[in-house]
Amino acid sequence: MEKYNLGNIATVEISGVDKKIKDGEKEVRLCNFVDVYYNWAITTAQYNGFMLATARPNEISKFQLKKGQVALTKDSETRDDIGTPTYIADNFEDVILAYHCALITPNKDLLDGRYLNALLHTDYAKKYFACNASGSGQRYALSVEVLSSFPVPMIPLREQERIGEIFSAIDKKIELNHRINQNLPTPDRSSKEEEACHVA
């Protein structure tokens, strides 16, 4: 199977947008490291959970989240936490990617974002990132060069889309189950204790 360097089939950029609110900058919402790390996909349903900050116009145009992109964690205290991706499933007008993350914009004629997201979740990708990260034990990081050199196994675009659809469907079921579990009523511990006392 032929492999292409990621940088030849996508644009890779490292965000430096901080969490501060500064005068003269435009108010935005930030998609942070934890948002990327804990979600298979970023959707508009998460909008209200993104923190408020400000950014310059050039930062907004560069790191505004758009459907089809993939964001990933680019540095952390451990090797295991770098290179964790998420798929940007919707377009956002005022949500941008924060620092400690990288934004990948695939060439849509060659690479499907959902396929890339699934690929970056594999041990194949994790091993590549762990072996190529820079750092000395305090903090590990992935450079633009390392990310751009990541070898992507290329298959026909329609097959990529099919794979992406399968993983997206699985993730939607997991997310639905998670929401159902969150909405289940919790047992009333005090009433149970009272029942136990009456029985005793």
Side-chain angles (χ1 to χ4, degrees):
M1 184 185 293
E2 193 173 4
K3 294 180 180 178
Y4 286 16
N5 283 355
L6 181 59
N8 292 333
I9 51 177
T11 302
V12 181
E13 294 181 289
I14 302 290
S15 175
V17 181
D18 62 37
K19 300 178 181 180
K20 297 175 182 175
I21 294 178
K22 301 172 188 170
D23 291 337
E25 293 186 345
K26 185 177 178 182
E27 187 177 277
V28 294
R29 288 182 180 265
L30 288 185
C31 177
N32 284 308
F33 183 101
V34 291
D35 300 311
V36 173
Y37 188 84
Y38 287 110
N39 292 286
W40 177 274
I42 298 295
T43 69
T44 51
Q46 294 148 276
Y47 180 81
N48 290 329
F50 296 132
M51 73 176 293
L52 291 171
T54 60
R56 299 189 300 273
N58 65 318
E59 291 175 325
I60 295 170
S61 63
K62 207 180 221 186
F63 297 108
Q64 179 182 1
L65 298 187
K66 297 174 186 134
K67 184 175 182 177
Q69 295 175 319
V70 173
L72 60 78
T73 57
K74 75 145 195 90
D75 60 79
S76 186
E77 286 80 8
T78 67
R79 288 181 189 270
D80 293 337
D81 292 336
I82 57 173
T84 300
T86 189
Y87 174 68
I88 310 304
D90 293 311
N91 287 312
F92 293 88
E93 288 186 12
D94 61 346
V95 178
I96 63 176
L97 189 66
Y99 61 2
H100 300 310
C101 296
L103 188 61
I104 303 166
T105 307
N107 178 335
K108 291 180 181 177
D109 294 329
L110 299 171
L111 182 61
D112 181 77
R114 291 171 299 178
Y115 167 72
L116 177 62
N117 184 41
L119 177 65
L120 293 175
H121 273 94
T122 63
D123 289 340
Y124 165 78
K126 291 292 182 189
K127 185 176 179 182
Y128 173 84
F129 293 140
C131 292
N132 290 280
S134 59
S136 58
Q138 295 295 321
R139 195 165 191 88
Y140 296 93
L142 298 168
S143 65
V144 170
E145 292 73 26
V146 166
L147 291 170
S148 297
S149 298
F150 174 69
V152 179
M154 290 302 290
I155 57 176
L157 188 59
R158 184 63 198 124
E159 288 182 33
Q160 292 182 35
E161 291 167 350
R162 230 177 260 127
I163 290 171
E165 285 165 6
I166 290 168
F167 279 96
S168 293
I170 292 169
D171 181 62
K172 281 177 185 173
K173 285 183 180 178
I174 293 170
E175 186 181 354
L176 178 61
N177 287 339
H178 181 64
R179 285 182 185 174
I180 290 169
N181 288 337
Q182 282 184 323
N183 291 325
L184 286 174
T186 54
D188 186 346
R189 194 169 180 178
S190 59
S191 62
K192 282 198 168 185
E193 286 173 352
E194 283 175 14
E195 285 175 18
C197 289
H198 288 312
V199 170

